[in-house]
Amino acid sequence: YCYDLRRELKLLDLKYGGERENRVDVAVVGAGYSGVELAANLSETLRKIGRKRNPSEQQREVGISLIHRGDTILPAATDFNRENASSALKEAGVTVVTGASVKSVRDVGEKSALVAVTRDGREAEYHADLILWTAGARPAGAVLDSPGLPKDGRGRIITGSTLRMRGNAAGGGAAVFAIGDAGRSAQDAPPSNAQGAIQQAGIAAWNVLVALDAGGRTKPVLKPLKYRYMDLGEMLTLGGSDATVNSLGGLVRLDGAAASIFRRLVYNVRMPTTGQTVRASVSATASKLGNKKRG
């Protein structure tokens, strides 16, 4: 999807060319982690695409609207990160609309008109060249659509503490495990994010090995591991060299450039292979140097 978005943004730039009076408007629906990070980065990204194509181009006017059904942005985030994100969105010129749901979208000339309605019935219209939907999350995949699987209200497979599908006990046929946003532990309901999925991956891999080893054995040698989510904190990118980090129960709190560097280092370290770590580090360094040169 990131490549699709990049293509759409480049098409918008080509559509309006270097004419500064042609304002680019984008509406982002949903102010969870994805929506906030997207809105905070979009304004700079659109301007950067234009400067890369034509360095002499004047800074284009960009309008970003972030529309959220809840009362506050980032409802699951810490207060520290929520406050930093709010400040970053304000500085980036993002219009934040809370307590409003999308009612309809229609075409009006070259743009689309998104109609949002508040809880008291008031309607507001937002014109946009591009509408990005980040509200809600539902796991996708043909396997998840199979009948008979025990699933919760969000379509996730319900598992036990070993991440094995509920009702799929040892000796009950093929072992089925579910992790990430495809699974929900009956004993625990950790957030469906990359942090949780990475922690689950090692547990699930070991337990798959246990299930294979147990085949045909009266007394299995290997024992399955139980999964317990470890909250290591949260990190958000807020555009350019800006970010916010709240980790280890609030013991580590960073914002601005320091948080951006810390976040990049953490992601590089967590890459699965050494080669990917090196490529990610080189890519990040090249990007920073490129930004300084253009600046």
Side-chain angles (χ1 to χ4, degrees):
Y1 295 115
C2 63
Y3 289 110
D4 291 339
L5 176 57
R6 185 178 298 177
R7 184 183 68 249
E8 290 294 331
L9 295 178
K10 287 183 177 179
L11 288 174
L12 276 179
D13 176 70
L14 292 173
K15 174 182 176 181
Y16 290 123
E19 299 178 18
R20 185 176 182 276
E21 62 270 16
N22 287 328
R23 168 182 165 125
V24 176
D25 292 293
V26 179
V28 180
V29 182
Y33 293 109
S34 298
V36 167
E37 288 188 319
L38 195 56
N41 282 273
L42 270 173
S43 180
E44 179 190 6
T45 300
L46 281 165
R47 293 189 177 100
K48 187 186 297 183
I49 290 173
R51 289 197 302 270
K52 188 174 182 179
R53 177 180 50 78
N54 182 5
S56 63
E57 179 180 308
Q58 291 181 301
Q59 185 156 298
R60 172 183 293 140
E61 185 177 1
V62 176
I64 311 293
S65 298
L66 179 61
I67 302 164
H68 186 55
R69 186 176 184 178
D71 294 324
T72 60
I73 66 169
L74 297 171
T78 61
D79 291 340
F80 177 79
N81 280 352
R82 187 182 301 110
E83 290 168 4
N84 285 335
S86 296
S87 298
L89 291 170
K90 183 177 181 180
E91 186 174 340
V94 176
T95 300
V96 179
V97 182
T98 57
S101 302
V102 176
K103 178 182 179 181
S104 63
V105 177
R106 70 176 190 277
D107 291 331
V108 284
E110 293 188 345
K111 295 180 183 282
S112 296
L114 183 152
V115 178
V117 57
T118 60
R119 294 191 182 95
D120 58 5
R122 291 182 291 111
E123 294 186 0
E125 191 170 274
Y126 302 89
H127 287 193
D129 297 281
L130 181 64
I131 298 175
L132 301 171
W133 192 279
T134 69
R138 182 181 183 278
V143 174
L144 295 176
D145 295 329
S146 302
L149 298 178
K151 292 182 283 189
D152 66 3
R154 290 173 54 185
R156 300 175 297 182
I157 297 175
I158 299 176
T159 72
S161 60
T162 63
L163 304 176
R164 188 164 182 165
M165 186 176 71
R166 191 175 67 180
N168 180 234
V176 178
F177 295 86
I179 67 173
D181 58 6
R184 180 199 183 281
S185 173
Q187 289 82 10
D188 189 17
S192 297
N193 56 23
Q195 182 182 154
I198 290 173
Q199 293 177 25
Q200 290 174 331
I203 301 293
W206 172 262
N207 289 342
V208 167
L209 179 62
V210 171
L212 294 172
D213 179 70
R217 291 179 183 268
T218 304
K219 292 183 178 181
V221 176
L222 304 177
K223 301 293 183 182
L225 299 176
K226 293 184 177 181
Y227 168 69
R228 286 290 180 269
Y229 177 67
M230 182 182 294
D231 188 356
L232 300 177
E234 57 189 21
M235 304 182 293
L236 286 83
T237 172
L238 300 173
S241 298
D242 194 9
T244 180
V245 174
N246 191 328
S247 182
L248 301 178
L251 294 177
V252 178
R253 289 184 172 182
L254 299 170
D255 60 2
S260 181
I261 294 172
F262 180 84
R263 172 184 169 277
R264 177 56 61 185
L265 288 173
V266 170
Y267 274 113
N268 289 351
V269 169
R270 295 303 297 271
M271 288 291 173
T273 67
T274 303
Q276 288 173 310
T277 297
V278 172
R279 285 194 295 272
S281 301
V282 171
S283 175
T285 302
S287 177
K288 293 294 183 184
L289 291 176
N291 288 342
K292 288 182 179 180
K293 186 180 291 186
R294 284 190 291 271

